[in-house]
Amino acid sequence: MAFPYMEAVVGFMILMYIFETYLDLRQHAALKRPTLPKTLKGVISQEKFEKSRAYSLDKSYFNFVHEFVTILLDSAILFYGILPLFWKKSGSFLVLVGLNEENEIFHTLAFLAGVMIWSQITDLPFSLYSTFVIEARHGFNKQTTWMFFRDLFKGICLAILLGPPIVSAIILIVQKGGPYLAIYLWAFMFFTPLPEGELREKIEKLASFLHFPLKKLFVVDGSTRSSHSNAYMYGFFKNKRIVLYDTLIQQCKNDEEIVAVIAHELGHWKLNHTMYSFIAVQILTFLQFGGYTLVRNSTDLFRSFGFDTQPVLIGLIIFQHSVIPLQHLVSFGLNLVSRAFEFQADAFAKRAWLWLCSSGWSCETTGRKFVIYEHRSLNAGMVSQQLSEKRGE
């Protein structure tokens, strides 16, 4: 008797959903506490705390509904054999229009077209509610209805234009790769330069002080779609860049607050967090490719899900459903590590401020300003959103 892979995958998915819902319920209970944590008294006002709490609660309620509907649909699609049924129907459609259903590329593209229509229908209500109710209620949404559907239409057009050649290439690569696929695979924003001025000089001085090989400073137009703020860096070796969201510049009260955000990000670089994360991603990527290779070559696994053949795309879908529960466990561990990294970067930012002050830099504010941007998940993350907005994470 063959191992019931499909039932095992569905069962594991449901178990992970129950576990994550339990964690979300604990988080939700913490969010309902109206008292400002002692550690934040004097750092943020009660008014800002209440706004952050209201926003997090709304997102929490939304998440409960969205996750329940998602697990319900995913489980039903797998358990009731909707995937193989839809695959057969897409083959029948090809015959109807005079194409060869045995051609895996054509068959896959027809299947994906139907999946895209289905996903747009099921995802649209949630996207609309999240953007025009939750985000708008708390003052974060900058999109109009026209902009939302225009972006949606552009995304569909790009998928139709770029999807076929990309999907065709992936299918050919997987077909040619065979059992050694893992080894082979392993082996719309506008950026403008940050204008000259005091802010640029302070960021460049901070980078120079920390020996960060800064080559270019950019500003990205994030405000056209959201009021969330952020900052990040990228690049290799001696050619690195820092990117600021224009919302970060608009929301911070002065240059020192923006420099505090950059100091935190440079802390990740100085403490080698970026390198550790890069290595972890490469290892996980290799393991994922290896896992897909095992799935791709398992006849019993495909049969368990109702497929007599082993199409490349179906293998990817089965692998996705098989690995997502494991990814949740891995993500949980990585989040613990990330949390520790954030605390270390916060501490580094405070030290950087003191070093700059002691080196003769004009310090019109105290080191307390750096405390504002810490990632303290007090009361199970009750104020993390507000702090993230101020810190630019």
Side-chain angles (χ1 to χ4, degrees), residues 142-180:
K142 296 293 184 67
Q143 285 186 301
T144 62
T145 306
W146 161 249
M147 185 183 293
F148 177 89
F149 282 103
R150 184 190 64 187
D151 288 349
L152 182 64
F153 178 73
K154 286 181 179 178
I156 293 174
C157 290
L158 282 174
I160 294 173
L161 181 66
L162 302 178
I166 293 175
V167 170
S168 302
I170 291 174
I171 292 174
L172 291 174
I173 290 171
V174 173
Q175 288 176 339
K176 299 296 183 182
Y180 302 105

Side-chain angles (χ1 to χ4, degrees), residues 220-321:
V220 65
D221 62 335
S223 60
T224 56
R225 289 168 174 79
S226 174
S227 61
H228 290 292
S229 55
N230 201 357
Y232 62 90
M233 57 186 179
Y234 69 97
F236 292 98
F237 307 112
K238 301 295 182 181
N239 188 24
K240 298 190 182 295
R241 296 159 172 79
I242 293 177
V243 178
L244 307 177
Y245 274 50
D246 57 353
T247 47
L248 178 67
I249 298 175
Q250 295 164 9
Q251 293 172 8
C252 287
K253 296 177 181 177
N254 50 48
D255 290 350
E256 281 69 27
E257 289 191 357
I258 301 173
V259 174
V261 174
I262 303 302
H264 174 97
E265 300 303 330
L266 292 181
H268 286 304
W269 166 78
K270 193 71 172 179
L271 298 171
N272 294 318
H273 295 166
T274 307
M275 182 186 69
Y276 297 146
S277 299
F278 177 79
I279 293 173
V281 167
Q282 299 311 306
I283 293 174
L284 290 174
T285 301
F286 179 74
L287 291 176
Q288 286 181 330
F289 286 142
Y292 172 69
T293 303
L294 294 176
V295 169
R296 165 72 180 155
N297 296 316
S298 175
T299 303
D300 290 340
L301 184 60
F302 276 84
R303 286 177 179 169
S304 178
F305 281 84
F307 289 91
D308 297 325
T309 58
Q310 296 176 233
V312 171
L313 177 68
I314 300 303
L316 286 169
I317 293 174
I318 294 175
F319 173 70
Q320 179 186 19
H321 284 292

